[in-house]
Amino acid sequence: MASSKSKQSLLLPHFLLFPVMAQGHQIPMAELAKLLSQSGVKTTLITTPQNATRIQSLLSQSPLTQIIQLPFPSHQQHLLQNCENFDSLPSLHLLPQFLTATSFLYSEIEHLFPQLSPKPCCIVSDMALPWTIQIAHKFNVPRLVFYSLSAFYLLFMATLRATDFGEKIMAASDYELISIPNFPDSIQVTKSQLVFTLDPVFLEWGNQMAKADRASYGFIMNSFNGLEPKYLEEFKKTIGSDKVWCIGPVSLCNKDTKDKAKRGNKAAIDEQECMKWLDKQESESVIYAALGSICNVIAPQIIELGLALEASNKPFIWVIRQTKSTKKEVENWLAESEFEQRIKDRGLVIRGWAPQVLILSHPAVGGFVTHCGWNSTIEGISMGVPMVTWPLFSDQTFNEKLIVEVLRIGVSVGVEKCLRWGVEEEIGVQVKKEAIRGAIEKVMSGEGEEMRKRVRELAAIAKATMEEGGSSHLNLKRLIEEIMHQADSQQSQN
Ligand code: UDP
């Protein structure tokens, strides 16, 4: 799709991409690279060796994309050796150190940048890498911020910074419902839902990100115009910029089975076996339960989910993330209770990485028990699957509100307090089997019919949006044109 202006441009479009080393960030960024590559843009993606291995297969059909590997500077923050991704941290409370360590890549990139040919026209940085603004300044290129987040959540964060809402919430009691100011719909939150968002360490990191964002050229979002238009408009107004390009859902760039199966890691199940199992199930009868790539759910809580899936009496696929702290206890329970034996005729347990998009795109899947990570949310929407919402922390609480209260395509399991990193054991079991089973029942039964209808409509819009002439397709085209126009003007000034 070379654009008219980029065709006229004498410069070859070259975008330099900086994903943060977490599955929920690097997968959508790699998908953005794939989309740019399909549009005739050369992309160079900077990451570390372990992360390069994970995303390589996603980019195997993108000849214009190259990955440059730099060693992760783990020694700078006394992080464990071989810890190059959020999902290999022993506890998520080490995340601030991990993010600080990434900034030590700066000097390597300072050295590398002048060797890149042609000179990159811009950098696209994950929002969680505020230090990349210095690269943009040093080499005089625009910085675009990539958000795999909803406009709904971004508007909340912008509101938090622009008003005294944070103080108001802090002064409230734990479960008091307080309306969010300046929101297009009447949405309420409690202090308990915000303990993570209002943690001083993360607020400080958020301030650094916001400072770098203000100095940036614009924002690329993994959302689409038709999904949350009122929130998108209000977000642009609040930040005082209309340089916001919605170019998603990026996962829709994966068209065939192989592409869908090879996103971000080697799956712990053979994709053919998984498809064969799904092919045997009735249309929209299967529940898919997966809580993302960094979920910090304790073993007794994982077990409640397993029991709820069993009690649902529906066929299901249950993805169990295996961590050092939970693996032994969960495995012992699975063996002692003979769980897999009990559910063998209608349940599939995946230990480790699941081919999520492939599963969600199968017509047998009728419900998605999700932690409401933004990628999972938008993937569920793109595939027309109604959701059972179980947010754990951060933006997930807001994504749940968007799903349940605004879009009305899901049912909450009723989590009242978000998790904090490092103290999960103290918090204990938050959701009991009955609450999960009840929410599944509502989504999968006749009661869920209206939700199913709405989410199918959104899925049709999502698909159309990514096709030639659709809004996300056009937005990407306009973005490339604008960046090339900038690069041309700069070239003529020099
Ligand atoms: N994912 C997957 N298989 C898994 C776990 C996760 O394919 O077993 C993908 C999922 O499709 C999504 C990303 O990893 O694209 C997770 O991002 P999300 O924002 O949903 O949650 P996070 O992992 O960041 O909490």
Side-chain angles (χ1 to χ4, degrees):
M1 173 200 81
S3 65
S4 52
K5 277 183 188 155
S6 60
K7 257 189 204 156
Q8 289 159 10
S9 172
L10 294 175
L11 301 168
L12 180 74
H14 182 190
F15 284 28
L16 184 58
L17 271 51
F18 293 93
V20 88
M21 300 82 171
Q23 296 292 54
H25 296 243
Q26 66 187 12
I27 296 175
M29 182 80 94
E31 287 167 340
L32 169 66
K34 192 168 168 176
L35 287 165
L36 285 166
S37 174
Q38 284 167 2
S39 304
V41 176
K42 175 176 176 172
T43 58
T44 298
L45 198 140
I46 308 279
T47 192
T48 66
Q50 280 179 18
N51 290 298
T53 313
R54 294 187 188 194
I55 52 178
Q56 244 149 18
S57 50
L58 214 165
L59 293 168
S60 59
Q61 303 299 321
S62 300
L64 290 179
T65 302
Q66 62 171 343
I67 301 177
I68 293 186
Q69 302 179 26
L70 299 175
F72 187 83
S74 40
H75 55 282
Q76 296 289 353
Q77 289 288 317
H78 309 292
L79 287 166
L80 302 181
Q81 280 299 317
N82 292 324
C83 188
E84 296 183 14
N85 190 293
F86 287 14
D87 66 6
S88 40
L89 285 169
S91 166
L92 286 172
H93 80 271
L94 292 167
L95 203 70
Q97 284 102 302
F98 183 96
L99 289 172
T100 303
T102 63
S103 64
F104 288 94
L105 289 170
Y106 176 82
S107 49
E108 296 252 19
I109 292 157
E110 193 180 27
H111 181 70
L112 173 84
F113 195 102
Q115 299 169 38
L116 294 170
S117 175
K119 179 189 170 185
C121 315
C122 69
I123 65 172
V124 180
S125 170
D126 190 282
M127 59 182 186
L129 302 176
W131 53 269
T132 55
I133 190 71
Q134 295 163 39
I135 300 168
H137 287 161
K138 164 115 193 174
F139 295 101
N140 201 16
V141 286
R143 176 184 191 256
L144 294 158
V145 190
F146 180 64
Y147 291 132
S148 199
L149 292 172
S150 58
F152 186 91
Y153 174 66
L154 287 168
L155 175 61
F156 175 75
M157 291 310 286
T159 305
L160 199 61
R161 277 189 283 274
T163 66
D164 62 357
F165 186 68
E167 286 147 40
K168 200 170 167 192
I169 277 275
M170 290 315 283
S173 56
D174 284 356
Y175 298 103
E176 187 184 341
L177 284 164
I178 307 200
S179 296
I180 306 175
N182 313 327
F183 253 45
D185 298 291
S186 163
I187 303 290
Q188 297 180 312
V189 278
T190 67
K191 186 156 101 184
S192 293
Q193 291 172 329
L194 294 181
V195 278
F196 179 94
T197 307
L198 297 175
D199 182 312
V201 174
F202 290 98
L203 276 180
E204 176 43 32
W205 194 265
N207 287 339
Q208 286 180 40
M209 289 192 236
K211 196 169 159 208
D213 290 0
R214 282 194 295 276
S216 298
Y217 185 81
F219 308 92
I220 304 178
M221 286 180 55
N222 182 18
S223 186
F224 55 101
N225 289 356
L227 182 63
E228 34 171 8
K230 291 186 288 186
Y231 290 89
L232 186 61
E233 284 318 305
E234 207 52 46
F235 171 61
K236 288 182 192 167
K237 263 194 241 158
T238 310
I239 61 166
S241 169
D242 61 358
K243 294 209 178 300
V244 180
W245 292 271
C246 282
I247 51 90
V250 291
S251 64
L252 288 178
C253 72
N254 304 296
K255 303 281 184 216
D256 60 28
T257 304
K258 275 217 154 51
D259 282 352
K260 287 179 196 162
K262 293 193 173 20
R263 288 174 73 250
N265 224 338
K266 191 170 165 8
I269 183 167
D270 177 72
E271 78 213 33
Q272 300 301 336
E273 188 195 322
C274 189
M275 288 298 99
K276 262 194 219 149
W277 187 89
L278 280 164
D279 288 344
K280 281 193 228 138
Q281 314 302 326
E282 279 175 29
S283 170
E284 296 187 350
S285 67
V286 176
I287 304 154
Y288 170 66
L291 302 178
S293 67
I294 51 171
C295 61
N296 48 346
V297 174
I298 57 172
Q301 182 67 83
I302 297 176
I303 294 168
E304 289 293 318
L305 171 57
L307 291 170
L309 290 168
E310 182 181 22
S312 74
N313 278 326
K314 304 264 183 267
F316 64 85
I317 296 181
W318 179 22
V319 184
I320 307 180
R321 177 173 182 246
Q322 300 207 298
T323 66
K324 276 201 185 107
S325 58
T326 57
K327 188 174 170 183
K328 200 163 158 224
E329 201 175 330
V330 174
E331 282 304 324
N332 283 345
W333 174 79
L334 285 168
E336 281 160 21
S337 65
E338 298 183 342
F339 181 82
E340 284 166 282
Q341 189 59 26
R342 292 204 311 251
I343 54 91
K344 73 174 184 333
D345 294 331
R346 64 179 171 92
L348 192 62
V349 178
I350 301 180
R351 295 163 166 83
W353 193 255
Q356 176 158 306
V357 164
L358 185 66
I359 294 173
L360 284 173
S361 64
H362 196 285
V365 176
F368 180 14
V369 178
T370 173
H371 71 306
C372 309
W374 181 245
N375 297 289
S376 295
T377 302
I378 197 159
E379 287 157 18
I381 291 171
S382 324
M383 298 303 159
V385 182
M387 288 169 255
V388 170
T389 59
W390 179 345
L392 305 174
F393 49 76
S394 187
D395 63 313
Q396 298 160 16
T397 308
F398 292 87
N399 300 337
E400 173 181 71
K401 289 180 191 293
L402 178 67
I403 295 168
V404 176
E405 297 177 39
V406 179
L407 302 173
R408 294 181 296 128
I409 53 170
V411 173
S412 168
V413 297
V415 176
E416 292 194 322
K417 196 174 181 136
C418 76
L419 286 177
R420 274 183 305 128
W421 294 345
V423 293
E424 293 84 355
E425 292 286 343
E426 273 170 45
I427 296 172
V429 170
Q430 292 185 294
V431 197
K432 299 296 265 184
K433 165 187 141 184
E434 257 323 295
I436 309 167
R437 195 205 57 77
I440 291 175
E441 173 74 28
K442 283 194 183 140
V443 164
M444 301 297 281
S445 66
E447 237 182 288
E449 198 42 52
E450 282 301 307
M451 280 180 244
R452 267 192 289 284
K453 201 168 147 238
R454 278 190 286 271
V455 74
R456 273 192 219 120
E457 283 165 11
L458 285 173
I461 299 172
K463 287 188 180 106
T465 238
M466 295 295 283
E467 298 295 329
E468 178 96 40
S471 68
S472 289
H473 187 264
L474 285 172
N475 285 342
L476 188 65
K477 184 175 165 181
R478 289 183 191 123
L479 167 68
I480 298 166
E481 283 176 359
E482 188 163 329
I483 292 299
M484 292 317 294
H485 186 60
Q486 288 284 324
D488 278 340
S489 327
Q490 206 187 41
Q491 173 100 334
S492 56
Q493 279 163 21
N494 291 338

